[in-house]
Amino acid sequence: MAEKNFGKPMKRVEDPRFITGTASYTDDLKLPGMVHAAMVRSPYAHARIKGIDASKALAHPGVLAVITGQEMKDAGIKSIPTGWLHPGIKTPPHYAITFDKARHVGDIVAAVIAETRQIAEDAAQLVEVDYEPLPAVSLGSDALKPGAPAVHDDVPDNICFTWSIGDKAAVDAAFASAYKTVKLHLRNNRLVPNAMEPRASLAQYHPASDEYTLWTTSQNPHIHRLLIAAFIMGIPEHKLRVIAPDVGGGFGSKIYQYPEEIIVLYAAKKLGRPVKWTARRSESFVTDSHGRDHETVAEMAVDQNGKITAVRVETIANMGAYLTTFAPAVPTYLYGCLLAGPYTTPHIYCHVTAPFTHTTPVDAYRGAGRPEATYLLERLADVMAHELGMDPVEFRRKNLIPPEAFPYQTPVALQYDSGNYEANLNKALELVNYKALREQQEAARKQGRYMGIGVVTYIEACGLAPSALVGSLGAQAGQWESALVRVMPTGKVEVFTGTHSHGQGHETAFAQVVADELQIPVEDVVLVHGDTGRMPYGWGSYGSRSAPTGLSAIVLAARKIVDKAKKIAAHLLEAAPEDIVHEDGKFMVKGVPDKAKTFFDIALQAHLAHNYPADLEPGLEATHFYDPKNFVFPFGTHIAVVEVDPETGKIKLLRYLSVDDCGPVVNPLIAEGQVHGGIAQGLGQALLEEAVYDKEGQILSGNFLEYALPRADDMVQIEHDHTVTPCPHNPLGIKGIGEAGTIASTAAVANAVMDALRPFGIVHLDMPYTPEKVWRAIQHSRLAQAAD
Amino acid sequence: MEKVRIKVVVNGVEHHSEVEPRLLLVHYLRESLGLTGTHVGCDTSQCGACVVHVDGQAVKSCTMFAVQADGASVTTIEGIGSMGKLHPVQEGFWEMHGLQCGFCTPGMIMAAIDLLNKNPQPSEEEIRHALEGNLCRCTGYHNIVRAVQYAANKMADTIRAAAD
Amino acid sequence: MYTAPFSYKRASNLTEALSLLQQNPEAKLLAGGHSLIPAMKLRLAAPPMLIDISKVAELRGIRREGEILVIGAMTTYRELETSELLKQHCPILPQAVQVVGDPMVRAKGTIGGSLAHADPAADLPAVMLALEARIKVQGPDGARVLEAEQFFTGMFSTALQEGEILTEVHIPIRPGARMAYAKFPHPASRYAVVGVAVVLDGNTVRAAVTGVGEHAMRLSKLEQALSGQALSAENITAACQGLLPADHLNHDLVASKEYRAHLVDVMAKRALMQAVGL
């Protein structure tokens, strides 16, 4: 019997095309007659558009059209909706091309279509827009001040929504009677996702059938189809095919319905030629939705035993100028509901105010709300531990939810299904040799060197999502996932999923699982994803949902195949279906191994239907729609070790160790890779990255010369292990792992840096820990200490 | 502006073309020659997704005009190996899971080959320093380093075997 | 992303390059292109013509002429990095170029291009000043040789006159000299926030800094403090304090002028320590 594929670190079946340069990313695609779009974008954060003169652009040879917002509105193209609504939320219109005002640097004010990309770009510079610049606001708290300029005329106070969770009275009472409290003002720095592939879209219109095809860099083509068809362009849903070909990374930024996709579709029909648009990187910086950008006051209360009694959080979450698809969910249900972390905190209250500002929209970026929650919890934990004179690890250990408490109902709606936090923590401490690390740190301090150790115990909630639950919370979409497993006459199998792989290795990992379920060679299984024309329905990949939700649907569909196969086998073997077993790749009569049929025999007969049960339909395919009963709750421990150069403030990562629990692991190579990437992004947020706006809404860090992404020499080899605590409510017990790395690592690096700076009496600094920021904090503390 | 005649050998094939001087080498490769394996990831010459070899050296093809490659020999990702006959660096990336979304991968492979051509047994620090001009958002570089080490060992074994 | 249109000429020798430049005063020379092309792609520069000098043989090569190292303007960073002559007689150059850009930039970028472009945050200008290099330029009226200190006149501007081409860099060989370059790189662009080059020639200390002002400049306060002294950790540390007043230094997102002034002190100290082997 062949070994199981589950758990094998198989190398990926998708790699051949990537390592030989034969993949097909959207910008690689070429259609006959294809023309190109270039966007005219506002250089102002806020300006009234008094007029657009496209005459010079139109006169440029090779220019086919200059499209304005008014033209598209008059043609009936509607506003781009957001996909999550809270009670009382303000959802001002978001047109693909704005026509009244520009509301952020990069807001599209016209689109130029031309024969070549060069001509389109040259001509875009010739479009004359008469702007009347207006005052702008870029910081969330500034947008809430009286007299702040309004981003949208019908939202004069700039408040998109407010939201809260928890029992405020109980929390306030706990703080009033606390043994000790700690309060931190925290900024969660705004980030630009910067997937390596810039966004691109290619639209084609087929006049004979009045159908459209859109190739686009998307994590979820079905969502694009639904939004475009039903809400924005009025195209019948069955006449729009959306294909996400090879996509070069997403991290959330390719979830959303973007303006450029609408523009190329409109232009393709208008001109009768396929239209392509590809972002330049500096465009990506102002047009891809950003992440994070919270201003928070976070407080923790403990009793005399060091047990956390309450957490109270007040956050201003910047929404940017418009709401993109997921935005209202991120600083609310994906944030406030995570504020228990892995701890037994009995009372939690979180209140969020979400203002509009004249900046690029803010939405989900790897972790989406959970890194923000983990960061503040873990900073509070470290600061409190220090206040109490406790080792930060012991403080956490004291507060971890014990294994016998599951399922554990948190005070913020979520019920954790399973977990074993202390065992995981102990494994991490042992692997890193925590005691020796602290001794190393002591020795270093005596030599005037500043080493820091940051330990983070985290949980996260992912595997989006139980549909009824999220629907009741404001989601405008379902969050189940579907699978179609189709067996061909020759026994080869196609698996259609509504998830989409843009780096996560689904073509390999999912095939491993299906091959195990059907007991066939893994090479006989192929995964089809990313095409609404081939896969009837799905909700895409984000929120670490592909494995827990997507793969669960696939497994259950595959099991339906096996059930039907048994019936066919029973008929062929002249036995009762209950007597058929599926072992060693064969269907056989129990106890009679030589009365057996192969998968190929069954597949063939299912299609010939010659020798076939009268009461069974021919064919061998099965669909399953899987709606999870709950989120899944991966958890773990991350430990970062850094050294600070006090002369320059520069920080070097020395070691990074993670022990994550995502349940049983389908493919360790792939799972670990996800964690590695997430860790680099967390390090990026902590040390390097910030989307900086000046007070007038100009982005100052608008390209790779200013915005520092982590490079190979910023990172170290990551030490990694895992524990396995299965999820009790899905067929394989698996949890997601795509975001966990990012969720924990920002906090781990932050705590390590603060730990390194402890001898200077520095309690808290905001990220990113740039060299100057750290140096100044050290200088300031030295002066303060000298003055004492 | 008048076009310029160039002759470029790309992956062993000679091309005679007439190009606008401002056509970047990366666009010549991708659009004129249809070799879309080389990618454009940025507009400030930072990211390295566009790296190819020109006359044996790794170069950012987004920071060169096609006219500058007149008379030169260019190798792209499509030219260094194919399925069944992979370059050890390509093999290393596959074996060690040195890629996820694949977008930075061609440039990363070309830069790694250039490194190993100059320094056949690089230390981890040397590998990380040599990849300073190649950004990856997916892998955290952990498996990329392992991929390059795998390739270095494989290439050393091949040399040893050939010498024996 | 696309540059403005331009016409392209390739010079096969220096005479032709000079002639083309004279006929087309608005043209720019294309050497490695790794400063010019990025600027053109951002439409910060839009010359109507580029004169490609990469095939001009007279501009290549590193050779020794008596007590001078002569480096052709078209010598790439990579060639500087691997030159045995330089490793032996002027090791600060191979050392400094290792922290310029990345391997791909080093394959194309040239010493002549770097000096002529005169980016206030480029590394080589500081090294040239500390070496007291001379820069040879050729024009329609003949050649002249400029001291490095005369050469850099402002942000992206040099003493090159219209029609002149930088042809060679001359570096005096100083037997026994110890030298080092210490750089604090911008985390994103990896240009020098501050870079300090020091050359210790017997009792003479020469030091220069880049990244802090409109162009690289000598650190005369440091030179005066340490020249004529035996260098120790103590006197190096003492001398590297307040080398430049913060007031007129560059001030940007990655470093305020005060922090920059502090980094000058730190990088100067590190360069000196490295040079003396402490």
Side-chain angles (χ1 to χ4, degrees), chain A residues 377-724:
Chain A
L377 262 187
E378 292 301 292
R379 286 297 305 128
L380 283 172
D382 259 25
V383 173
M384 181 61 88
H386 185 70
E387 279 288 304
L388 296 172
M390 283 176 80
D391 180 293
V393 167
E394 290 319 302
F395 178 76
R396 287 171 170 81
R397 187 193 295 284
K398 210 181 234 317
N399 284 283
L400 287 176
I401 300 165
E404 59 274 10
F406 292 91
Y408 176 80
Q409 179 61 54
T410 69
V412 278
L414 290 179
Q415 185 182 79
Y416 302 162
D417 55 15
S418 63
N420 196 349
Y421 305 147
E422 192 172 3
N424 178 292
L425 170 65
N426 287 336
K427 188 167 194 179
L429 296 173
E430 190 192 310
L431 283 171
V432 89
N433 198 343
Y434 184 67
K435 188 161 164 297
L437 259 187
R438 286 287 178 201
E439 286 163 6
Q440 223 185 313
Q441 181 182 42
E442 251 327 287
R445 280 190 184 149
K446 293 199 172 85
Q447 295 175 349
R449 288 172 40 231
Y450 299 93
M451 235 179 85
I453 303 162
V455 177
V456 160
T457 48
Y458 77 95
I459 58 102
E460 73 119 335
C462 61
L464 308 188
S467 301
L469 173 61
V470 295
S472 72
L473 301 177
Q476 301 299 298
Q479 282 286 275
W480 43 264
E481 197 37 70
S482 79
L484 165 59
V485 178
R486 172 175 295 154
V487 183
M488 295 160 159
T490 54
K492 307 292 186 230
V493 177
E494 284 182 317
V495 177
F496 299 83
T497 176
T499 60
H500 181 265
S501 186
H502 34 280
Q504 300 94 318
H506 299 168
E507 290 170 32
T508 306
F510 291 7
Q512 285 175 254
V513 170
V514 172
D516 281 354
E517 291 287 331
L518 301 181
Q519 297 181 22
I520 58 177
V522 74
E523 311 76 71
D524 285 358
V525 181
V526 105
L527 185 79
V528 178
H529 58 113
D531 184 346
T532 66
R534 293 188 71 187
M535 177 54 191
Y537 226 85
W539 295 104
S541 284
Y542 39 78
S544 309
R545 69 190 305 268
S546 305
T549 312
L551 190 52
S552 296
I554 291 172
V555 164
L556 293 172
R559 290 180 186 172
K560 285 178 180 169
I561 300 273
V562 172
D563 284 343
K564 185 168 184 181
K566 282 182 177 166
K567 292 193 177 106
I568 300 170
H571 181 86
L572 294 173
L573 296 168
E574 293 170 350
E578 318 73 82
D579 294 331
I580 301 293
V581 294
H582 182 207
E583 273 170 22
D584 295 339
K586 295 204 245 319
F587 293 85
M588 62 185 91
V589 176
K590 199 182 328 205
V592 194
D594 41 289
K595 277 200 95 176
K597 290 289 171 189
T598 64
F599 190 78
F600 170 74
D601 297 332
I602 308 287
L604 187 60
Q605 221 20 259
H607 288 84
L608 296 177
H610 290 170
N611 181 4
Y612 204 75
D615 57 348
L616 199 61
E617 290 174 16
L620 193 54
E621 69 177 53
T623 296
H624 193 93
F625 285 71
Y626 177 77
D627 203 349
K629 296 187 182 47
N630 193 357
F631 296 93
V632 295
F633 301 94
F635 61 91
T637 306
H638 283 216
I639 301 178
V641 183
V642 304
E643 182 159 349
V644 177
D645 175 350
E647 276 193 319
T648 61
K650 193 153 182 205
I651 294 163
K652 189 168 154 61
L653 179 69
L654 298 179
R655 274 180 84 178
Y656 199 101
L657 181 136
S658 79
V659 178
D660 301 286
D661 191 316
C662 60
V665 176
V666 177
N667 182 324
L669 210 51
I670 291 175
E672 284 168 26
Q674 291 299 300
V675 175
H676 297 160
I679 289 169
Q681 286 177 296
L683 177 123
Q685 170 161 30
L687 301 185
L688 298 167
E689 299 179 44
E690 184 169 21
V692 179
Y693 280 89
D694 68 14
K695 290 211 136 42
E696 282 78 50
Q698 280 299 322
I699 186 163
L700 300 178
S701 51
N703 58 50
F704 284 158
L705 286 169
E706 295 295 340
Y707 189 96
L709 285 190
R711 292 171 204 237
D713 56 9
D714 292 311
M715 286 295 294
V716 296
Q717 288 304 84
I718 293 156
E719 301 157 65
H720 179 87
D721 207 327
H722 64 286
T723 56
V724 180

Side-chain angles (χ1 to χ4, degrees), chain B:
Chain B
M1 290 285 167
E2 77 276 13
K3 291 201 173 176
V4 173
R5 282 222 173 93
I6 60 172
K7 182 197 91 157
V8 194
V9 174
V10 181
N11 298 332
V13 176
E14 196 171 280
H15 295 271
H16 294 262
S17 312
E18 266 193 24
V19 300
E20 268 194 77
R22 67 169 171 165
L23 182 67
L24 295 170
L25 179 61
V26 67
H27 291 133
Y28 176 65
L29 294 169
R30 287 179 56 77
E31 290 164 24
S32 311
L33 302 185
L35 294 167
T36 55
T38 304
H39 299 143
V40 176
C42 79
D43 49 12
T44 49
S45 307
Q46 246 76 40
C47 79
C50 68
V51 174
V52 299
H53 291 179
V54 177
D55 290 335
Q57 287 215 81
V59 156
K60 289 181 169 170
S61 63
C62 75
T63 316
M64 254 186 90
F65 297 111
V67 291
Q68 290 173 276
D70 180 31
S73 172
V74 177
T75 312
T76 71
I77 184 73
E78 292 95 335
I80 54 131
S82 53
M83 291 310 293
K85 206 181 180 305
L86 290 174
H87 188 288
V89 173
Q90 286 172 305
E91 193 182 307
F93 273 76
W94 195 8
E95 292 293 330
M96 296 290 115
H97 188 42
L99 63 141
Q100 293 179 25
C101 83
F103 196 77
C104 77
T105 306
M108 196 69 78
I109 287 175
M110 300 309 281
I113 293 174
D114 186 67
L115 164 66
L116 294 178
N117 286 344
K118 297 174 191 157
N119 184 353
Q121 289 288 312
S123 65
E124 183 187 326
E125 197 187 324
E126 286 170 329
I127 294 173
R128 291 182 182 278
H129 182 67
L131 295 178
E132 216 185 336
N134 291 82
L135 293 174
C136 173
R137 204 42 159 164
C138 291
T139 66
Y141 306 100
H142 178 111
N143 286 335
I144 290 178
V145 169
R146 288 173 68 225
V148 177
Q149 289 167 334
Y150 174 101
N153 290 334
K154 182 119 201 244
M155 286 160 80
D157 286 346
T158 308
I159 291 172
R160 263 196 290 276
D164 289 344

Side-chain angles (χ1 to χ4, degrees), chain A residues 117-118 121-122 125 280 645 647-650 688 692 700-701 704-708 711 713-714 771-772 775-776, chain C residues 1-5 42-43 184-191 253-256 258-259 262-263 266-267 269-270:
Chain A
R117 194 159 25 191
Q118 281 98 319
E121 277 205 19
D122 287 345
Q125 313 222 350
R280 285 172 284 114
D645 175 350
E647 276 193 319
T648 61
K650 193 153 182 205
L688 298 167
V692 179
L700 300 178
S701 51
F704 284 158
L705 286 169
E706 295 295 340
Y707 189 96
R711 292 171 204 237
D713 56 9
D714 292 311
E772 177 162 1
W775 174 75
R776 280 192 183 275
Chain C
M1 179 75 190
Y2 301 102
T3 71
L42 291 173
R43 305 263 172 149
F184 191 87
H186 188 296
S189 73
R190 305 272 168 126
Y191 273 88
L253 213 54
V254 81
S256 67
E258 294 84 12
Y259 180 60
H262 170 71
L263 283 179
V266 176
M267 292 299 125
K269 183 178 78 168
R270 290 185 181 179

Side-chain angles (χ1 to χ4, degrees), chain A residues 186 356 413:
Chain A
L186 301 158
F356 289 112

